[in-house]
Amino acid sequence: MKRHRNTHHSGKQAEQRALRFLQNYGLKHLGSNFRTPAGEIDLILQDGKTIVFVEVRSRSSNQYMETVESINQRKVDRIINASRQYLQYHGINESALCRFDIVTLTGKSHSARIEWIKNAFDA
């Protein structure tokens, strides 16, 4: 259980760091950790008129694979399904401008390298 708690804590730290990073670029925070049976969205922001659904990934190193490579098609499908439920829950038309971004943090938490991939995948 201790490992899960540490992983959960470091994941929350990564999400907070990613949120601050994106806010520094002018994105407005709409929500975090939107969970449905279909999946979860780490961060939801607004960039102008576009709703941005963000997957945050954090790894201590790229020794075995790039951080972004840890996001498989199943995960992408779950994020897309959760985003549809988010739009429906908030009464937002599905034709609204939406984007799916990924923010990766690689390295030690306080000095991790941050990479922002806009339009990482399409719905």
Side-chain angles (χ1 to χ4, degrees), residues 11-114:
K12 292 296 171 202
Q13 283 184 322
E15 287 175 10
Q16 285 301 309
R17 198 145 173 246
L19 175 59
R20 286 191 305 272
F21 176 84
L22 294 170
Q23 286 175 319
N24 285 337
Y25 283 92
L27 279 72
K28 178 183 169 196
H29 185 228
L30 299 177
S32 298
N33 304 113
F34 180 79
R35 288 182 178 87
T36 74
E40 178 185 355
I41 302 167
D42 294 330
L43 298 173
I44 301 140
L45 297 106
Q46 189 168 352
D47 186 6
K49 294 183 179 191
T50 303
I51 297 172
V52 183
F53 299 102
V54 181
E55 173 68 10
V56 178
R57 283 294 165 115
S58 177
R59 295 178 72 117
S60 57
S61 81
N62 279 342
Q63 186 173 356
Y64 300 106
M65 73 171 69
E66 289 290 324
T67 306
V68 73
E69 291 174 334
S70 68
I71 302 171
N72 60 25
Q73 188 59 48
R74 182 173 180 266
K75 181 65 176 177
V76 167
D77 292 342
R78 291 178 62 79
I79 293 167
I80 291 168
N81 288 334
S83 72
R84 288 185 176 128
Q85 289 189 12
Y86 175 87
L87 295 173
Q88 184 177 37
Y89 180 81
H90 289 281
I92 301 168
N93 189 315
E94 276 198 42
S95 65
L97 294 174
C98 296
R99 187 175 79 214
F100 296 92
D101 293 0
I102 297 172
V103 174
T104 64
L105 293 91
T106 307
K108 303 275 189 225
S109 64
H110 61 282
S111 61
R113 178 177 51 93
I114 299 177

